[in-house]
Amino acid sequence: MDHDYALGPDPTVVDLVLEENASLREEVRLLRQQIESLTLTQRFGIHRFAASDKDIRFFTRFASYDLLMRFWALIEPSLPSMVSVRQAQRGTLTESTTAHSLQPINELFLFLNYLALGSKQQDLADRYRIHQSTVSRIIMSWSNFLYTVLGSVRIRIPQEQIRKNLPADFKDFPDTTVILDCTELRCQCPSSPVLQSEVFSSYKSHCTLKGLIGIVPHGAVTFVSSLYAGSVSDKQITRECGLLTLLKPGMAVMADRGFLIDDMVPCKIYRPAFLSGRSQMSACEVKETQDIARLRVHVERLIRRVKEHKLFDSEIPLRLFGSINQLYTVACLLTNYENGPLVKAWAKKPED
């Protein structure tokens, strides 16, 4: 009887074991779900910071998660036409069947991290757990994509629309169509003395790249020039950048004292007055100069918003010269989507 192997197990015991086994399987399944959910939450990407507008502002320069999602909704329909760097290198425009390392929205988030924080590619590779070469391809692909998509949007505003939305501060200059200013980005000095002389800026006492930005009185960017060598004058950039073809009689340009473009533009220019050898200006000229200086500062506020993208805080390395024009233009155009009005008081104005 001690070795009677023909006897079967007690059915009650079998049922208990099976129930325990099923219970353990369910616990394992729930534990896996919790781990996957925790991993998704902790993984570096846009969904990790969706609940914090402060974090979104820090990592992307967009004022809120809602604004970023509105921008995403605008560009998402164009994603099928996006050509990656790898596709361009292979000479094919067909959609790649290779799985992406990141979701498209997280690729955009990575690109915005690069612009907003000036993050190094190795740092981004560690954060997103991808190869550094993949980070480089994502940055290049998205800079070209956004340069094309945002560049295809008509940012020039009709003169009638500008006057309709003219802030009250511009009541003495109602025909102002565009406010102009140039900005400079510090860049690495080339080894060639000839190239050094071309990009050296006497104003900054450093090698720079210079671009012209134009905004309408209510603060929207309506013109972005290409970047030029730092030695080029403001007048020369204005002549070559294509802005003059957009100006018509009846318009007015507001600019700084150094924009001596009277002989080139077909319209009026509002500019602080020169003493021109006189001992003092008249009371009328003083008031007009003060008013123009107070209003012209809005374009400097816009430029400050562009340079809040920390990529432009440090010297632009020579290796980025092939793509810096796209990166700079995208940063300028993004200011139309990232922020509210330049002046908070304008946001309180009731809508018509």
Side-chain angles (χ1 to χ4, degrees):
M1 292 298 292
D2 291 338
H3 302 281
D4 191 354
Y5 300 106
L7 292 176
D10 188 346
T12 305
V13 175
V14 173
D15 291 341
L16 289 174
V17 171
L18 291 176
E19 289 178 4
E20 184 179 358
N21 189 30
S23 177
L24 290 174
R25 288 179 181 274
E26 180 64 16
E27 288 182 11
V28 170
R29 186 184 67 82
L30 293 175
L31 183 60
R32 284 179 177 174
Q33 287 183 348
Q34 292 175 0
I35 293 174
E36 290 177 358
S37 177
L38 183 62
T39 302
L40 181 62
T41 304
Q42 295 301 320
R43 184 181 300 157
F44 200 89
I46 190 171
H47 300 295
R48 179 176 174 180
F49 306 102
S52 173
D53 287 344
K54 182 179 179 181
D55 287 336
I56 291 295
R57 178 70 174 173
F58 176 76
F59 284 108
T60 69
R61 301 313 306 163
F62 276 82
S64 67
Y65 179 75
D66 179 63
L67 273 180
L68 180 54
M69 288 299 96
R70 289 173 182 266
F71 177 74
W72 172 252
L74 290 175
I75 66 171
E76 187 179 15
S78 301
L79 284 177
S81 61
M82 181 178 184
V83 178
S84 69
V85 172
R86 180 174 293 178
Q87 287 173 302
Q89 291 172 345
R90 292 176 177 176
T92 174
L93 300 182
T94 57
E95 186 174 358
S96 176
T97 57
T98 305
H100 291 271
S101 302
L102 300 174
Q103 295 178 344
I105 193 168
N106 278 329
E107 288 189 356
L108 171 63
F109 192 66
L110 183 152
F111 174 77
L112 294 176
N113 294 166
Y114 179 71
L115 270 186
L117 303 179
S119 301
K120 303 299 182 183
Q121 292 186 12
Q122 181 61 56
D123 178 46
L124 291 172
D126 292 340
R127 286 173 182 264
Y128 288 88
R129 301 177 184 178
I130 57 179
H131 198 274
Q132 185 174 343
S133 62
T134 304
V135 172
S136 178
R137 287 196 296 269
I138 289 173
I139 291 172
M140 292 297 297
S141 298
W142 276 90
S143 64
N144 292 330
F145 174 69
L146 291 177
Y147 180 77
T148 302
V149 172
L150 299 182
S152 65
V153 177
R154 180 178 178 178
I155 59 175
R156 182 168 170 248
I157 302 175
Q159 193 171 2
E160 301 76 20
Q161 195 70 20
I162 295 175
R163 291 181 178 178
K164 180 180 178 181
N165 295 280
L166 194 73
D169 297 347
F170 285 82
K171 64 181 186 304
D172 295 330
F173 309 94
D175 51 352
T176 302
T177 304
V178 62
I179 309 173
L180 298 176
D181 200 7
C182 279
T183 185
E184 298 186 57
L185 308 177
R186 291 165 59 92
C187 67
Q188 182 181 352
C189 293
S191 58
S192 167
V194 176
L195 294 179
Q196 284 184 21
S197 64
E198 289 184 1
V199 297
F200 185 81
S201 168
S202 56
Y203 178 69
K204 294 290 186 179
S205 298
H206 198 278
C207 294
T208 66
L209 300 172
K210 182 187 291 188
L212 178 67
I213 295 181
I215 68 170
V216 289
H218 62 268
V221 175
T222 56
F223 185 83
V224 181
S225 78
S226 299
L227 290 171
Y228 293 80
S231 62
V232 178
S233 67
D234 297 348
K235 184 175 182 178
Q236 185 67 20
I237 292 178
T238 306
R239 179 184 291 113
E240 295 182 4
C241 68
L243 174 69
L244 299 179
T245 60
L246 305 176
L247 301 177
K248 309 295 179 185
M251 297 181 177
V253 173
M254 187 173 287
D256 196 10
R257 185 178 281 110
F259 274 80
L260 305 177
I261 56 176
D262 305 64
D263 57 334
M264 297 190 300
V265 298
C267 59
K268 187 189 302 183
I269 298 179
Y270 294 123
R271 185 179 55 224
F274 285 96
L275 281 175
S276 301
R278 299 172 294 173
S279 58
Q280 63 181 18
M281 293 185 290
S282 65
C284 181
E285 288 176 327
V286 170
K287 182 181 183 305
E288 183 181 50
T289 296
Q290 291 175 341
D291 290 342
I292 293 174
R294 176 173 53 85
L295 298 175
R296 197 200 63 79
V297 76
H298 293 319
V299 71
E300 295 182 2
R301 290 177 175 173
L302 188 282
I303 290 173
R304 185 166 65 247
R305 283 187 172 182
V306 174
K307 291 188 175 181
E308 284 177 351
H309 297 89
K310 301 301 182 183
L311 176 65
F312 309 119
D313 269 1
S314 56
E315 286 186 354
I316 306 300
L318 296 177
R319 60 181 173 80
L320 279 185
F321 272 33
S323 59
I324 188 59
N325 195 64
Q326 290 93 319
L327 292 166
Y328 165 75
T329 302
V330 167
C332 291
L333 296 178
L334 280 176
T335 58
N336 285 342
Y337 303 90
E338 294 172 340
N339 308 276
L342 281 175
V343 181
K344 292 183 179 180
W346 295 351
K348 300 177 182 178
K349 181 180 178 182
E351 296 183 359
D352 296 334

